[in-house]
Amino acid sequence: MDNNSLIVEGFVFPSYKEAQIAQKEQDNIEAIRRRIKGADGKTTYELYCKLIERDMFRTMVGYGFLYEMRYHLMEQYGYREQELPHVQLPKRMEYDSMAQLNQGKLESKVQNLMLIKTKMTITIVALIFIIVAMLIIAAVNPNVGYVNTEHKILNKYSFWQEELERREAVIKEKEEQLKIDSEE
């Protein structure tokens, strides 16, 4: 979106939507100017009052026109300040309320992200605690599964080997005795 699409009657609007509203107001202002061209003071005064009463304008373009009409009524037709109704500006412009809504959404997102961050931090701390506890248990516990199992298996095989060697020795002795007995 180019910057020129945001400019209406010398005013730069913060959004394209507001610029469109201002452009519609400008078109209406041109139509009103054509209608009141050559009108008397009373007609202009009545139109001014109706425009204020109906709250026809929402942008600075419209408020500028109302100010221009007010000045024209005082200068050309002799109306006093007190006789003319005042132009009531809105408490918040449309873009202010939109900015406030956007700010509310952003604050909500930030709060959600902070909540997620807190949950993740708690989860990470818990996992670190579990890992440290597992390492401590592995280092301190003498009955660590696979280390003791390996020692048990080695001890069992060495016992079997000793038993086999002992039986083999007994068998060799018996064979030698049988050889000696058969030679005799």
Side-chain angles (χ1 to χ4, degrees):
M1 174 184 330
D2 63 344
N3 223 10
N4 289 336
S5 63
L6 301 177
I7 299 173
V8 179
E9 286 297 306
F11 292 103
V12 179
F13 290 90
S15 70
Y16 183 71
K17 181 180 177 185
E18 287 184 62
Q20 283 182 318
I21 293 169
Q23 186 59 52
K24 285 179 185 176
E25 285 184 4
Q26 181 59 36
D27 295 342
N28 290 338
I29 290 168
E30 293 302 323
I32 291 169
R33 282 192 175 136
R34 284 191 298 271
R35 283 181 64 196
I36 63 170
K37 191 174 191 178
D40 63 346
K42 185 176 181 181
T43 307
T44 306
Y45 174 77
E46 288 172 359
L47 180 62
Y48 174 77
C49 292
K50 282 184 183 180
L51 290 174
I52 289 178
E53 181 183 309
R54 292 183 185 169
D55 198 23
M56 294 293 291
F57 299 114
R58 301 258 180 248
T59 67
M60 291 307 296
V61 172
Y63 294 128
F65 175 68
L66 288 174
Y67 176 76
E68 181 184 313
M69 279 185 78
R70 181 180 188 83
Y71 181 78
H72 184 71
L73 285 169
M74 287 189 301
E75 290 297 314
Q76 285 201 338
Y77 298 111
Y79 283 92
R80 292 187 319 239
E81 181 80 27
Q82 296 81 11
E83 295 175 319
L84 298 173
H86 297 287
V87 177
Q88 185 72 30
L89 293 176
K91 292 180 182 170
R92 288 188 184 268
M93 295 295 200
E94 182 178 339
Y95 56 86
D96 287 342
S97 62
M98 293 303 287
Q100 187 177 16
L101 287 174
N102 289 338
Q103 183 179 1
K105 288 178 184 177
L106 288 177
E107 286 175 358
S108 173
K109 285 181 181 181
V110 167
Q111 287 176 350
N112 287 340
L113 290 175
M114 292 301 288
L115 182 63
I116 290 170
K117 179 184 173 190
T118 303
K119 288 179 180 179
M120 288 182 132
T121 302
I122 291 170
T123 304
I124 289 170
V125 168
L127 289 174
I128 290 172
F129 176 75
I130 290 171
I131 291 170
V132 168
M134 287 172 52
L135 291 174
I136 290 172
I137 290 171
V140 172
N141 190 358
N143 297 323
V144 177
Y146 70 91
V147 173
N148 285 336
T149 304
E150 183 181 359
H151 289 303
K152 286 178 186 176
I153 291 172
L154 287 176
N155 288 340
K156 195 174 197 179
Y157 280 124
S158 65
F159 173 75
W160 287 350
Q161 187 173 1
E162 288 174 10
E163 181 73 25
L164 284 174
E165 286 174 1
R166 188 181 52 79
R167 284 185 182 178
E168 191 176 326
V170 170
I171 291 175
K172 281 186 183 180
E173 266 182 46
K174 290 230 178 196
E175 281 180 355
E176 290 212 13
Q177 276 183 359
L178 286 172
K179 264 189 191 179
I180 294 178
D181 283 345
S182 61
E183 286 179 12
E184 283 176 17

